[in-house]
Amino acid sequence: RLGWEPLHATAVTTERGTAAFLGNSGAGKSTLAAAFVQSGARLVTDDMLILTRDGSRWLAQPGPPRIKLYREMAIRIFGADTVGIPMNAVTEKLIIPLDAGRAMAAPATAAALYILHEPGDDAAKDPMIQRLSPGRAFPALLAHTAAHYPSDADRLKRQLEFVGQLVTDVPVSALSYTRDAHALCRVRDG
């Protein structure tokens, strides 16, 4: 209703720029972002990313200063004294508040988008990053827009234009890695 097309993504800012991780629920967006935050990056937003155009660049708008993690991963990444609020009664996920040193309060220029490959038998031991052409990136990004089955013609047109411009302006890559706690550092470094 506000004219934005949110992406199902979590974004962090590092000294090399702002990266967003896109994927389905459970793909590891928040866990990967937490590994970055633990090593000094700052969270821009968790789970829902709004990108706004500012001239020739895209700005990742900051979300609430919190990250949602399963209790086991929260303890593994942030330590045993991690304090969080249970998300609901049916999950072990915690909502973990982040202080100003770990979360962005201002927009940050998007440097890259990474689409997380769903884990499977073919997952590589070492992280694999494959740059996607705009033609290959377009349907992948479209699949990770919020409400990606719009019935309103104007909304569909806006969504297609947004994704079309985004894939020409911001590098999009596929990211594949094994989903275990020890691999997070290798992925972050990659």
Side-chain angles (χ1 to χ4, degrees):
R1 289 184 216 146
L2 297 173
W4 300 323
E5 292 304 329
L7 295 171
H8 191 198
T10 296
V12 294
T13 293
T14 71
E15 59 191 36
R16 295 188 60 198
T18 298
F21 308 112
L22 293 86
N24 295 327
S25 294
K29 300 178 299 295
S30 300
T31 302
L32 186 54
F36 274 87
V37 169
Q38 181 56 24
S39 69
R42 293 173 73 194
L43 182 78
V44 176
T45 188
D46 183 32
D47 210 33
M48 188 66 63
L49 172 63
I50 302 288
L51 291 169
T52 57
R53 195 165 169 85
D54 180 29
S56 63
R57 61 191 184 137
W58 289 90
L59 297 177
Q61 299 298 320
R66 56 92 177 125
I67 194 163
K68 297 179 290 182
L69 294 172
Y70 285 102
R71 183 179 309 277
E72 178 184 338
M73 289 309 288
I75 291 169
R76 201 175 276 215
I77 294 170
F78 292 128
D81 57 346
T82 300
V83 176
I85 302 160
M87 200 164 109
N88 59 47
V90 296
T91 182
E92 284 287 312
K93 233 176 199 186
L94 299 174
I95 300 170
I96 301 165
L98 299 175
D99 61 32
R102 291 185 163 196
M104 296 290 290
T109 302
L113 304 174
Y114 295 92
I115 299 171
L116 301 183
H117 181 268
E118 294 295 323
D121 295 335
D122 62 338
K125 180 176 177 157
D126 292 322
M128 291 184 8
I129 299 171
Q130 179 185 19
R131 178 81 181 264
L132 300 178
S133 68
R136 288 190 60 212
F138 184 88
L141 280 186
L142 192 61
H144 293 295
T145 56
H148 56 271
Y149 299 109
S151 57
D152 176 46
D154 289 339
R155 167 91 191 273
L156 180 58
K157 179 178 184 239
R158 187 178 69 227
Q159 200 171 57
L160 294 172
E161 289 172 351
F162 163 72
V163 172
Q165 190 63 57
L166 188 57
V167 299
T168 61
D169 294 344
V170 180
V172 180
S173 298
L175 173 57
S176 176
Y177 64 98
T178 56
R179 297 307 198 270
D180 64 57
H182 303 294
L184 288 176
C185 292
R186 290 193 312 269
V187 174
R188 183 191 63 219
D189 295 344

